[in-house]
Amino acid sequence: RMRLRAGILNDFPPLYVKDAPGKPRGLAIDVLQEVAGQVGFDVDYVVVENWAEGIEAMRQGRVDLIPGIGLTEELQREFVFSSFMETIPVSLFVRAGTMDVAGLEGLAGRPIAVLEGGAAWQVLKTRPELRLLLYHSIEPAVIAMLGGEVDAFVLPEWVMWKKLDDL
């Protein structure tokens, strides 16, 4: 049987989490395991800290695939994607002091947290009016938002709710 190396994020719930012994779990892994079983290949997991590291690992050939990565035009020009298995809504989270913001237009020039290499960053970096601050992981971005260093954080909705619950 063929063995493929899958790049998975260290902490991006519910897509990627680790159980008590540190074994990778999560929605993206469950879907990949199901596909692997049906198609007939085995998977080795390579843990990366963030999207940017995962994308670089793909470029260098250290991993063969990244389950659950956001589909963007930029990434489609570089990599081959399967058909959709799941979709996750990406939301704009704002802190209580910025409740006047109705959408991205209301954030022009204001600091917005995004995860470097993530789908939100891939899409939003083409909008010069937005002031994006790059973070390598979720927790520092959430803390920056709650502390008023950034006015918003763009992240998949499920991930934010799970992470807030964990924190």
Side-chain angles (χ1 to χ4, degrees):
R1 283 172 56 115
M2 180 185 345
R3 294 193 80 76
L4 295 176
R5 294 161 300 170
I8 60 167
L9 272 66
N10 182 46
D11 184 33
F12 201 76
L15 293 178
Y16 316 101
V17 296
K18 289 185 184 158
D19 62 14
K23 184 176 179 182
R25 298 267 186 232
L27 178 62
I29 293 167
D30 293 344
V31 170
L32 179 59
Q33 285 299 135
E34 182 65 29
V35 170
Q38 290 181 16
V39 175
F41 63 88
D42 294 316
V43 182
D44 294 323
Y45 294 102
V46 177
V47 177
V48 296
E49 288 302 313
N50 52 55
W51 292 116
E53 183 182 335
I55 292 167
E56 190 56 34
M58 283 277 293
R59 287 183 181 124
Q60 295 174 355
R62 291 184 291 137
V63 300
D64 302 305
L65 59 103
I66 302 173
I69 193 169
L71 180 66
T72 66
E73 287 182 20
E74 183 175 335
L75 290 178
Q76 278 186 298
R77 288 191 292 273
E78 191 171 357
F79 304 112
V80 176
F81 283 80
S82 70
S83 59
F84 290 111
M85 305 253 178
E86 72 226 359
T87 58
I88 297 175
V90 175
S91 297
L92 175 67
F93 293 89
V94 296
R95 56 187 183 82
T98 53
M99 294 304 288
D100 60 318
V101 174
L104 285 175
E105 294 74 27
L107 284 168
R110 294 163 89 169
I112 304 169
V114 292
L115 295 179
E116 184 177 12
W121 173 71
Q122 297 275 338
V123 172
L124 297 178
K125 71 180 183 177
T126 63
R127 299 194 46 183
E129 77 277 12
L130 298 179
R131 189 171 143 219
L132 303 179
L133 298 181
L134 303 180
Y135 288 84
H136 294 288
S137 60
I138 298 167
E139 288 179 24
V142 169
I143 291 167
M145 185 178 68
L146 295 175
E149 294 173 40
V150 298
D151 290 333
F153 186 13
V154 182
L155 190 72
E157 189 173 326
W158 298 353
V159 176
M160 179 62 103
W161 294 124
K162 177 64 176 131
K163 188 49 113 172
L164 289 174
D165 187 53
D166 291 348
L167 290 172

